[in-house]
Amino acid sequence: MPARALAAVAASGPASVADDTARAVACALREGFDRHYALFRDCARAAKRHFETGNWRAIRHVAHDRIDYYDRRVEETVERIEREFRSAGPGGSGADALWERVKLHFIGLLIDHRQPECAETFFNSVSCKILHRTYFNNRFIFVRPAISTEHIQADPPTYRSYYPLQQGLCAALVDIVLDFRLEARFADFRRDLVNLIHAFRQRTPRPYRLEANHQIQVLSSLFFRDQTAYAVGRVVNGMRSVPFAVALKHAPDGRLYVDALLTDEVELALLFSANRSYFLVDMEVPSAYIHFLRMMLPDKTASELYTMVGLQKGGKNFFYRDFLHHLAHSRDRFIIAPGIRGLVMSVFTLPSYPYVFKVIKDRIAASKDTDRTRVKAKYALVKHHDRAGRMTDILEYSDVAFPRARFAAELLDELHDVAPSQIEEDGDRIIIRHLYIERRMKPLNIFLEAADDAQRELAVREYGQAIRDLAAVNIFAGDLLTKNFGITRYGRVVFYDYDEIEYLVDCRFRRIPQAPPEFDDMSGEVWYPVGPHDVFPEEFATFLLTDPHVRKIFVAHHGELLDAAWWQNIQRGIESGEVAEVLSYPASIRFSPPAAGGA
């Protein structure tokens, strides 16, 4: 706040001074959020430019850097408020009354705002850094939304409508593409139209009678991820609608082509999976995008969708609201999560809620050669990296209050035993100072124990493919035991134990050298030196594939993963500058790309 403004506030009497200070703090909060959201939208616009020029590395850099923008703007706003408004801190005189007024003024500033729910989350982030957690209640933060996000109008509108009955199908599809204002040209747009129409007809039950209300609704901004842009919308025909996503890619000569049409509910769910990188998408009214996406993907929560469009802090806020609602309407207790207990994390769950809660242990087993700081760094790496559909996203929280009565005695004893520094009992609440939350999956080792032959075949093939996909994006999982992988609700195998994760290029993949003639095979010792980053893939069969049925399937489909040469070849590709992309949709639905130099 400028010195002149502060002087004017000080001259106005005690009651008005407090109210003017509250209004000024609220304005500083909104200005901090508006700066954040302007930068957020700039990232999406930059992604569009980089996509048009085929600058894939730049898109990844933008996606990586954007994740930290929110926290930086929060820190800037905290510093400003603490510098300019000392009374706003928890030690300030009348801080509780002041923050009640700040919240009321902030609500007033959001009346005509286009992103009120995101601004409320920003308010919470700033206030929770300034105030002690005992202030975290309805009076001082937004536990429930104060501003409705229904029917907020964007300019231009959130989605555009096209009418094939009036203008013709081909003309409508041409208009859809033109309205995205892409600078790059298409290699063979006529061919793309034929592919799209043919694919849609194959996937639509016959006969397909056109109703009077027949339109194609398409979200106004493309969704960018890695080397692909997606046009997202739905075909409305009377009372029925078919959601879709159209994948756009670059041909070898740099021109564009349509790569696939996604309409199946599983295809679309995997596209918006939390196991993948966040989209870059330019949204003036994010709540309207989320409303549209939820009509397309009814099984996805608002929390998941806010996260997937890059508003992960808003996603965390919505998740916590859903969690509190579930606690109020359930009665089961938190228990130790089923499966083999980890050496680094204590993991617990609520059986009626599809998530697990992970707390880093104070005393980590010596065999892991790590500590809390390095474990947190590994989880941050996953948050920022391309997860390739094979690493689950993480929600990270601090100072979370749980009702003590909902904890099973065995769980409470374990937490006090293995992570006492992270646990505080405060009356009828348990405060966990730091934890990660992930969607619950069935551990792969438990799944394989009960699987029939067909299920085992699919799961082991997926297990090997997960290792391949991670390698393609420069990730070596480290501990490849099946207990560290899970089966998702869509039958995908996903890695979720990150304490030993490494960049693939930092590993040294080696063959085991031949033993010298005088070596005693029964000694239990190794005859060759082993460095901290050395990996011997031929040992995978011995230590990972102990079940002969699993080993047979794995070797049949992924035998080359047991050869150091395969890993070394992947490393060379990464080091040479290749930028790999692991698509969410199967090769079977892709259209063949146009040849270089085509029409």
Side-chain angles (χ1 to χ4, degrees):
M1 191 174 184
R4 288 182 303 176
L6 283 172
V9 168
S12 20
S16 60
V17 166
D19 199 57
D20 287 346
T21 300
R23 183 182 295 108
V25 172
C27 288
L29 281 158
R30 174 170 163 168
E31 288 168 9
F33 170 75
D34 287 347
R35 171 168 164 72
H36 156 68
Y37 202 76
L39 292 171
F40 178 87
R41 294 189 69 183
D42 283 346
C43 288
R45 294 168 184 147
K48 181 174 182 288
R49 294 193 299 272
H50 297 321
F51 174 78
E52 290 170 336
T53 59
N55 192 343
W56 314 129
R57 288 189 177 277
I59 289 180
R60 286 196 171 177
H61 283 309
V62 169
H64 176 283
D65 294 344
R66 187 188 63 175
I67 291 172
D68 296 323
Y69 282 4
Y70 181 92
D71 288 335
R72 292 175 190 169
R73 301 295 84 73
V74 167
E75 292 293 345
E76 289 174 2
T77 307
V78 167
E79 291 173 6
R80 176 185 175 185
I81 290 173
E82 289 180 336
R83 182 178 66 252
E84 297 182 3
F85 311 101
R86 294 184 179 179
S87 61
S93 175
D96 52 352
L98 174 66
W99 276 93
E100 281 188 89
R101 294 184 184 184
V102 170
K103 182 179 176 182
L104 289 174
H105 283 297
F106 193 77
I107 292 171
L109 294 173
L110 299 183
I111 297 296
D112 296 317
H113 205 277
R114 302 290 175 91
Q115 308 95 31
E117 77 285 16
C118 300
E120 289 175 354
T121 296
F122 190 84
F123 180 101
N124 288 352
S125 298
V126 173
S127 61
C128 287
K129 281 189 173 291
I130 293 175
L131 298 172
H132 187 269
R133 61 173 167 75
T134 54
Y135 285 81
F136 298 179
N137 58 56
N138 292 6
R139 293 166 59 199
F140 305 110
I141 65 173
F142 293 94
V143 176
R144 294 188 304 271
I147 301 293
S148 171
T149 58
E150 289 189 70
H151 307 303
I152 299 178
Q153 295 297 319
D155 184 21
T158 298
Y159 64 88
R160 303 183 182 97
S161 297
Y162 304 86
Y163 299 91
L165 283 177
Q166 297 177 14
Q167 58 187 127
L169 178 58
C170 288
L173 295 176
V174 169
D175 284 349
I176 290 171
V177 172
L178 291 176
D179 285 341
F180 284 124
R181 300 180 184 276
L182 289 164
E183 294 295 330
R185 298 179 64 84
F186 280 78
D188 189 346
F189 192 60
R190 184 184 298 276
R191 172 185 176 277
D192 292 333
L193 291 182
V194 171
N195 284 338
L196 278 174
I197 294 169
H198 178 68
F200 185 80
R201 286 173 176 167
Q202 280 190 317
R203 294 171 175 228
T204 307
R206 302 284 98 184
Y208 187 76
R209 296 187 177 88
L210 299 183
E211 304 288 344
N213 177 29
H214 178 63
Q215 55 182 294
I216 304 173
Q217 299 174 348
V218 184
L219 287 168
S220 297
S221 176
L222 290 167
F223 287 61
F224 298 96
R225 178 197 282 152
D226 291 329
Q227 301 173 35
T228 310
Y230 298 89
V232 177
R234 59 180 185 159
V235 177
V236 176
N237 193 45
M239 300 300 293
R240 302 184 65 181
S241 66
V242 177
F244 67 82
V246 175
L248 306 177
K249 296 185 71 63
H250 276 243
D253 61 3
R255 290 184 291 177
L256 301 178
Y257 71 96
V258 175
D259 188 53
L261 172 68
L262 287 66
T263 58
D264 180 78
E265 61 181 34
V266 175
E267 294 168 357
L268 292 170
L270 292 176
L271 178 64
F272 285 89
S273 168
N275 304 328
R276 293 194 169 272
S277 304
Y278 308 137
F279 285 108
L280 292 146
V281 51
D282 185 18
M283 304 169 291
E284 183 182 25
V285 181
S287 60
Y289 272 73
I290 300 306
H291 178 72
F292 191 99
L293 292 172
R294 291 199 74 182
M295 290 191 294
M296 294 176 54
L297 302 156
D299 289 341
K300 296 285 185 182
T301 65
S303 169
E304 290 173 308
L305 293 173
Y306 271 100
T307 299
M308 287 315 301
V309 296
L311 296 168
Q312 64 269 25
K313 299 297 184 179
K316 280 179 59 177
N317 201 21
F318 276 91
F319 175 88
Y320 194 63
R321 286 172 181 169
D322 290 343
F323 176 59
L324 292 178
H325 179 81
H326 182 84
L327 281 180
H329 294 83
S330 61
R331 304 173 74 178
D332 54 335
R333 292 188 171 193
F334 292 99
I335 61 171
I336 297 171
I340 300 172
R341 297 191 185 183
L343 301 175
V344 175
M345 295 280 194
S346 179
V347 185
F348 63 94
T349 190
L350 188 67
S352 62
Y353 204 58
Y355 291 86
V356 294
F357 305 79
K358 304 171 75 168
V359 181
I360 302 174
K361 294 180 177 181
D362 287 358
R363 297 181 300 278
I364 296 173
S367 61
K368 283 294 188 178
D369 188 28
T370 190
D371 55 28
R372 180 182 303 280
T373 300
R374 281 184 280 180
V375 171
K376 292 173 74 172
K378 301 291 188 183
Y379 275 73
L381 183 159
V382 172
K383 172 67 75 173
H384 289 77
H385 200 78
D386 178 4
R387 292 187 290 280
R390 298 298 183 176
M391 294 189 290
T392 184
D393 194 17
I394 318 112
L395 298 173
E396 185 176 6
Y397 289 88
S398 300
D399 292 323
V400 181
F402 294 85
R404 190 185 191 284
R406 299 292 291 274
F407 276 69
E410 181 187 17
L411 170 60
L412 205 50
D413 289 344
E414 172 170 310
L415 291 174
H416 279 300
D417 179 47
V418 303
S421 72
Q422 300 300 302
I423 309 302
E424 177 186 342
E425 297 203 30
D426 184 3
D428 61 352
R429 299 183 300 171
I430 298 292
I431 310 298
I432 300 184
R433 294 195 174 94
H434 180 264
L435 83 162
Y436 298 107
I437 303 175
E438 300 171 3
R439 182 170 279 278
R440 186 171 64 225
M441 291 174 279
K442 177 167 283 191
L444 181 57
N445 61 310
I446 294 177
F447 179 87
L448 290 173
E449 288 173 1
D452 59 30
D453 290 345
Q455 291 171 330
R456 185 186 298 112
E457 172 89 17
L458 289 174
V460 174
R461 291 180 67 175
E462 269 285 295
Y463 170 54
Q465 190 60 48
I467 296 171
R468 289 176 182 272
D469 289 346
L470 290 175
V473 296
N474 195 23
I475 290 292
F476 180 65
D479 192 343
L480 298 177
L481 290 171
T482 53
K483 72 182 181 66
N484 298 321
F485 291 77
I487 296 281
T488 73
R489 50 187 162 163
Y490 301 110
R492 301 266 293 176
V493 169
V494 171
F495 183 64
Y496 55 62
D497 191 340
Y498 305 140
D499 52 88
E500 293 189 30
I501 204 168
E502 298 285 352
Y503 289 118
L504 192 81
V505 294
D506 291 339
C507 299
R508 185 180 177 214
F509 293 94
R510 298 174 55 194
R511 287 192 174 96
I512 297 176
Q514 186 174 358
E518 68 277 8
F519 183 77
D520 181 2
D521 291 337
M522 304 302 291
S523 68
E525 300 294 327
V526 296
W527 59 91
Y528 49 91
V530 179
H533 295 288
D534 285 353
V535 180
F536 299 90
E538 61 199 277
E539 293 184 330
F540 296 169
T542 302
F543 297 107
L544 304 179
L545 310 174
T546 55
D547 183 319
H549 300 291
V550 170
R551 181 185 298 190
K552 181 179 179 181
I553 299 168
F554 189 93
V555 170
H557 297 286
H558 303 292
E560 58 192 345
L561 297 184
L562 307 179
D563 184 353
W566 184 88
W567 296 90
Q568 293 164 357
N569 185 55
I570 297 295
Q571 284 181 313
R572 284 192 291 271
I574 295 169
E575 290 167 345
S576 70
E578 292 179 11
V579 181
E581 180 182 28
V582 179
L583 293 169
S584 71
Y585 49 92
S588 59
I589 71 166
R590 299 185 69 179
F591 311 137
S592 57

